[in-house]
Amino acid sequence: MCENVLDAENWKLEAQAVINDIKEHVVRVEISEVLQSSDRRIFLNLTTLEERDYCVELSGSGFRVVAERHDEISSSSRPETEEEHFETPYSLLNSLSPMFGQSFGDALMAKLASIQN
């Protein structure tokens, strides 16, 4: 069901857009320099506000945790969310990081307050 929706270079652009959207709500997020992107997917290294590390695959199917370490695809000890795909980085982060919701909400409230003033 996963199609080739982007080429490798466009996956990098898509990943960078995701990084820009969530970078204020995580400790670290970057494109993996170890795992190669392709016309089907790209990998992101993610560290949540709770200091938990993940490697996340971004593909035409959405976002999926592939390991609980950076630059790795786990084959043995599978994270509980590994087979689950998320449509957005926000839904992925809501499942992985309780502090994400608070951070995102605080940023939204700050933006609303600045508009009001």
Side-chain angles (χ1 to χ4, degrees):
M1 182 150 164
C2 178
E3 333 176 347
N4 295 353
V5 293
L6 299 173
D7 62 22
E9 190 58 36
N10 283 321
W11 274 120
K12 288 180 182 177
L13 294 172
E14 180 71 16
Q16 191 58 53
V18 168
I19 289 167
N20 291 339
D21 281 349
I22 66 171
K23 66 184 175 187
E24 294 179 21
H25 309 293
V26 296
V27 171
R28 176 181 174 196
V29 59
E30 62 190 14
I31 296 170
S32 174
E33 296 290 330
V34 174
L35 300 173
Q36 296 298 313
S37 59
S38 70
D39 61 348
R40 293 181 175 221
R41 63 188 179 177
I42 193 166
F43 296 95
L44 301 174
N45 290 325
L46 171 73
T47 302
T48 65
L49 294 173
E50 295 84 3
E51 299 285 338
R52 295 197 62 195
D53 292 339
Y54 296 95
C55 185
V56 175
E57 175 191 73
L58 171 56
S59 70
S61 298
F63 298 83
R64 178 175 70 106
V65 173
V66 294
E68 291 182 340
R69 293 178 194 225
H70 292 169
D71 297 318
E72 188 175 296
I73 298 174
S74 177
S75 59
S76 55
S77 62
R78 297 178 174 236
E80 62 189 45
T81 58
E82 184 174 350
E83 295 306 317
E84 185 175 2
H85 283 86
F86 297 87
E87 287 188 29
T88 68
Y90 312 110
S91 59
L92 171 72
L93 283 166
N94 272 326
S95 78
L96 298 177
S97 172
M99 293 173 69
F100 168 76
Q102 183 67 45
S103 175
F104 188 83
D106 289 348
L108 182 58
M109 292 299 290
K111 286 180 184 176
L112 291 172
S114 71
I115 291 171
Q116 187 177 14
N117 295 332

